[in-house]
Amino acid sequence: MPVKNHIALPPGSVVGIFGGGQLGRMMAVAAAQMGYHTHIYVDEIGSPAIEVSHSHTIASYSDEERLKNFSQEVDVATYEFENIPVNSLREVEKLVPVYPKPDILEIAQDRVAEKDFCNELGIPTAPYWRVTDLEILEASLSELGRPGLLKSTRFGYDGKNQIKVKIGDNLGDAWSRIGGGPGVLEGWMDYEREISVIVVRTQSGDVQCYDPVENEHKNYVLHRSIVPARISSETKEAAVNSAKHLAVSLDLVGVLAVEMFVMKDGTITINEMAPRPHNSGHWTIEACASSQFEQLIRCICGVPLGSCARNADAEMQNLLGDEVNDWLVYLGEPSQRLHLYGKGEIRAGRKMGHVTSLKPLSKHL
Ligand code: AMP
């Protein structure tokens, strides 16, 4: 079957989304506003995206038959989380365009491949070693000569499968705590602050960035994002240029979030990247003409970009676990914009919603 035409999909076209979490939910809302339908493909019931979407498939991400049916029902496909099997996306891509390209996801799924890609472009990361057994871990740590962070190469997020290590620690224990590898040992970065840059790029190569965001984590999980980030104009320029360089080099179509450390001398190093809208970009819904979710839909549907320009300063706070019980307090405060994800069960640390507050636009750097 020929690949369907993907240039400027008209309203009424169907956007397929792999994954059914809050990112998929906010993508579906943005798509609906532009007159598109969404079809969610997810492997579990009760997903936040389903209740705001036109149609859905609940099946394993490796179910060939269901993947084929899905491909025939959508006009373009994307994904909202990173652990979709790349081979499944490649199967879908035989029938319908998938953006960002599965090759990009393949790089982002592996912390070592991601760091190799950045360094080959001359964009620095923490020093790192691919670790496949305990002996290599011991040798890498002594070569590093300072504390490091041991992470699994895959399936790690929000601090899961990562542990700080130093010479003299019980490395066997650390190795089993990240699941026994494969892993990556990164040098511990004594950074000044964490920022992220969200870059968007169309099929014809138009590229824009949102202003860099400053991110505060609690227990390795994003707690608060503040924009504009408190960084110098030189650091801002370096951060934005690196994000654009990555997007162009990856031949991105869609949205790429690039997490960075700002070092004490103002230089930046890349922590990781995600080829999808990002938790640190939720503020764009209220503070920008076009949100990160809308820009994704524009890019993959082949319509021109909106504007990433910021109309206000903003602060976004995640509501984790029972913090969501304060929902009425937020709704009672007109300056706060509450987003609840419709998740039934409150679990400790679970992202239940977020709240954004706007402030008058400060002078651009
Ligand atoms: P990650 O899962 O790689 O995004 O890491 C989660 C958080 O752990 C980051 O946002 C940082 O706060 C922290 N972190 C990750 N890598 C390093 C590192 N090499 N040095 C110091 N802190 C790190």
Side-chain angles (χ1 to χ4, degrees):
M1 185 184 290
V3 168
K4 292 174 194 171
N5 176 25
H6 59 268
I7 301 299
L9 292 176
S13 302
V14 183
V15 175
I17 300 172
F18 282 97
Q22 62 269 16
L23 297 175
R25 180 181 174 100
M26 290 182 269
M27 288 176 189
V29 170
Q33 194 180 349
M34 297 170 72
Y36 295 119
H37 299 306
T38 46
H39 183 137
I40 305 296
Y41 191 120
V42 64
D43 66 352
E44 59 186 6
I45 54 168
S47 304
I50 286 181
E51 68 178 6
V52 298
S53 293
H54 181 259
S55 45
H56 62 266
T57 298
I58 298 177
S60 153
Y61 290 123
S62 315
D63 185 327
E64 288 175 21
E65 196 59 37
R66 303 298 294 278
L67 286 168
K68 191 169 168 208
N69 293 343
F70 171 81
S71 313
Q72 287 164 346
E73 285 172 25
V74 304
D75 296 292
V76 64
T78 189
Y79 42 88
E80 63 106 49
F81 90 124
E82 276 147 278
N83 293 334
I84 306 289
V86 168
N87 285 343
S88 299
L89 296 182
R90 293 206 167 109
E91 281 308 303
V92 171
E93 204 182 20
K94 290 179 184 163
L95 298 174
V96 73
V98 176
Y99 297 123
K101 289 274 173 206
D103 291 357
I104 302 179
L105 183 64
E106 191 167 39
I107 295 171
Q109 279 180 344
D110 183 311
R111 291 186 189 274
V112 174
E114 193 173 74
K115 287 183 169 51
D116 287 347
F117 189 85
C118 293
N119 284 288
E120 276 159 22
L121 292 177
I123 301 176
T125 63
Y128 63 104
W129 288 261
R130 183 186 281 282
V131 178
T132 45
D133 61 36
L134 195 50
E135 266 183 18
I136 296 177
L137 174 58
E138 281 161 2
S140 310
L141 191 59
S142 60
E143 202 178 322
L144 172 63
R146 60 181 166 98
L149 200 54
L150 177 65
K151 304 177 178 178
S152 62
T153 52
R154 303 170 76 85
F155 306 123
Y157 65 96
D158 289 346
K160 291 187 178 62
N161 294 332
Q162 62 188 54
I163 179 165
K164 191 172 179 182
V165 287
K166 59 180 185 337
I167 294 165
D169 283 353
N170 181 341
L171 295 182
D173 185 45
W175 184 241
S176 49
R177 280 178 63 186
I178 67 147
V184 58
L185 176 71
E186 297 180 16
W188 182 262
M189 302 300 279
D190 193 14
Y191 54 80
E192 186 181 69
R193 65 188 81 239
E194 290 187 73
I195 61 168
S196 53
V197 177
I198 294 172
V199 53
V200 302
R201 186 168 179 269
T202 64
Q203 295 170 26
S204 51
D206 292 336
V207 63
Q208 278 188 37
C209 284
Y210 291 99
D211 277 342
V213 188
E214 184 167 338
N215 297 317
E216 291 175 8
H217 292 77
K218 273 191 188 167
N219 303 321
Y220 298 104
V221 179
L222 183 66
H223 165 60
R224 208 157 61 121
S225 290
I226 302 162
V227 60
R230 291 165 295 173
I231 54 176
S232 68
S233 52
E234 291 78 22
T235 301
K236 177 179 172 180
E237 194 182 335
V240 165
N241 287 344
S242 298
K244 284 186 179 168
H245 191 181
L246 285 168
V248 171
S249 307
L250 289 164
D251 195 17
L252 174 78
V253 172
V255 173
L256 180 77
V258 188
E259 294 180 31
M260 307 176 187
F261 300 130
V262 179
M263 307 310 291
K264 290 184 172 136
D265 63 0
T267 57
I268 53 140
T269 54
I270 304 293
N271 177 28
E272 62 174 356
M273 56 189 177
R276 53 162 173 76
H278 194 256
N279 194 168
S280 67
H282 292 354
W283 61 276
T284 61
I285 297 174
E286 282 87 12
C288 299
S290 293
S291 73
Q292 58 169 350
F293 303 102
E294 180 186 317
Q295 297 284 41
L296 171 70
I297 301 299
R298 285 173 177 263
C299 293
I300 67 174
C301 292
V303 300
L305 281 180
S307 168
C308 290
R310 186 165 56 81
N311 299 319
D313 289 6
E315 191 177 307
M316 187 277 328
Q317 192 182 317
N318 275 334
L319 299 177
L320 303 183
D322 56 17
E323 287 169 358
V324 73
N325 290 333
D326 288 335
W327 62 276
L328 198 50
V329 176
Y330 295 117
L331 284 180
E333 179 49 70
S335 68
Q336 310 267 17
R337 304 295 305 158
L338 178 71
H339 296 251
L340 296 181
Y341 304 149
K343 296 182 182 177
E345 192 194 343
I346 300 177
R347 291 198 296 265
R350 192 177 195 200
K351 290 179 180 167
M352 303 300 294
H354 72 265
V355 62
T356 301
S357 53
L358 299 181
K359 295 187 194 120
L361 186 67
S362 60
K363 179 167 78 67
H364 282 273
L365 289 168

